[in-house]
Amino acid sequence: MSHTNVTAGTLPPGDLSGFRELQQLAHEAVETVAEGLEPGVTEREAARRIREHLTERGVQDWFHTPFAWFGDRTAFRRFRTPLQFFPTDRRLEEDMPFILDCAPVRDGFVADIGYSGYLGDNPLHDQLMDDLYAHRQLILDQVRAGDTLQDVYRGVDGLLREQGYDNRHQVYPGRVIAHQVGKVRSRLPRAIVAGFGIRSLQTLFGDLVVERLHNRSPLWADGEISAHPATPGMWAVEPHLGFRDMGVKFEEILVVTEDDAFWLDDDLPHVRRWERRAPTAAGTTQETR
């Protein structure tokens, strides 16, 4: 990751294109795998399919290797240790929700994305996804307004409680809803340790040190270390809503400049879904024809 500020006038177009292309590729991978899922497929098999799809298309490394969560595991219920996030032998069943998540690295560019879906029919999942729409706009509006990351996190918490849900991103290590991403520059060999690429971890740890010297953090949570506006750069943002034994989320890159913020790309599966269904901030939807 770069420690230099990103301004509206100096955003490197080539870098943004590289991040956008890889994010598109990552979403293509999970969409392709999701379309091929069938009853009896395990989380491990789904994650393996994502990894193979991406490595065949030039992915050389990982921020983290692919995850897949089926059924109640989409809501992270009873998760107590980081090991529980890794894919298991849980088998997909008809009408069961799932989340696919991957973070590939190619030519130094990083993507970290999440995709929520289900097999068969699941109206409740549709409702949760409709209600997730308002969180994407809320996050953008509050970051643009210069609110602290802590306050944006609390804004998401307040909205999801109003909607009748509970916060599931608080189960991630560090309670994070987002983390900074940037180009991976490391001379370490490519290797995976506990599901994470050591080159990406080296970059993240370097940013942790530098940001802490400025009383900031590249990890966005609800603690006092996040009581500052978003540092200019790119953030992988993943609000995660839960209702009983079901969870839904999206994850994509938010670009923050010194005086603005914008989503890196609007041509993504969850955004296209919302455009078809025309959700409102109140959570109601109307199918568009």
Side-chain angles (χ1 to χ4, degrees):
M1 302 175 194
S2 171
H3 302 299
T4 58
N5 283 347
V6 180
T7 68
T10 61
L11 282 170
D15 278 5
L16 282 187
S17 295
F19 283 106
R20 188 179 296 111
E21 289 171 8
L22 184 58
Q23 183 172 259
Q24 280 281 343
L25 179 63
H27 276 99
E28 173 203 297
V30 295
E31 279 194 293
T32 299
V33 170
E35 290 171 0
L37 292 177
E38 65 276 348
V41 171
T42 67
E43 292 178 344
R44 287 193 176 96
E45 172 64 17
R48 183 188 64 77
R49 292 179 186 180
I50 297 170
R51 186 166 184 163
E52 289 180 350
H53 184 102
L54 289 168
T55 55
E56 289 170 359
R57 289 159 178 79
V59 165
Q60 304 130 335
D61 201 359
W62 305 89
F63 177 73
H64 67 71
T65 54
F67 293 112
W69 302 296
F70 295 169
D72 63 339
R73 283 173 49 79
T74 60
F76 298 165
R77 302 300 182 191
R78 296 168 291 280
F79 278 30
R80 298 289 183 268
T81 72
L83 293 177
Q84 290 175 286
F85 287 94
F86 289 99
T88 69
D89 288 326
R90 169 69 65 86
R91 295 186 180 276
L92 193 62
E93 300 175 8
E94 196 68 29
D95 303 331
M96 182 178 278
F98 59 80
I99 295 177
L100 305 177
D101 187 301
C102 64
V105 178
R106 187 176 67 176
D107 299 331
F109 296 103
V110 182
D112 196 350
I113 66 100
Y115 176 89
S116 297
Y118 56 84
L119 193 66
D121 183 59
N122 197 316
L124 179 58
H125 189 281
D126 284 335
Q127 185 61 59
L128 267 70
M129 280 299 299
D130 289 344
D131 291 341
L132 191 57
Y133 166 81
H135 292 270
R136 190 176 190 260
Q137 191 61 51
L138 179 147
I139 290 167
L140 180 62
D141 288 345
Q142 288 198 241
V143 171
R144 279 179 166 171
D147 292 352
T148 70
L149 297 180
Q150 185 184 51
D151 284 342
V152 182
Y153 194 109
R154 291 172 176 173
V156 171
D157 265 0
L159 176 57
L160 64 86
R161 283 195 296 267
E162 288 177 12
Q163 294 172 322
Y165 305 131
D166 64 313
N167 173 343
R168 303 318 298 158
H169 43 266
Q170 68 184 348
V171 184
Y172 288 107
R175 298 174 59 87
V176 298
I177 192 174
H179 62 86
Q180 277 191 288
V181 296
K183 292 195 79 170
V184 173
R185 298 181 176 91
S186 173
R187 295 184 178 181
L188 291 175
R190 294 189 183 101
I192 303 297
V193 176
F196 287 81
I198 61 171
R199 289 184 170 199
S200 297
L201 289 179
Q202 182 192 38
T203 305
L204 179 60
F205 289 148
D207 274 10
L208 277 168
V209 172
V210 172
E211 292 297 291
R212 287 304 292 266
L213 291 174
H214 295 87
N215 294 313
R216 300 188 302 249
S217 174
L219 304 177
W220 174 351
D222 56 348
E224 288 304 313
I225 196 62
S226 293
H228 62 85
T231 306
M234 287 176 288
W235 295 80
V237 185
E238 53 181 332
H240 194 149
L241 313 183
F243 182 74
R244 298 176 181 168
D245 285 338
M246 185 182 301
V248 303
K249 74 165 187 172
F250 67 81
E251 185 173 12
E252 58 174 303
I253 291 176
L254 178 71
V255 181
V256 179
T257 73
E258 289 182 337
D259 54 12
D260 196 11
F262 55 91
W263 295 106
L264 178 63
D265 193 357
D266 285 326
D267 186 19
L268 299 177
H270 49 282
V271 181
R272 294 193 297 268
R273 177 193 182 280
W274 290 326
E275 289 174 346
R276 290 194 304 271
R277 292 177 61 84
T280 68
T284 57
T285 62
Q286 178 178 357
E287 292 282 357
T288 58
R289 304 298 180 188

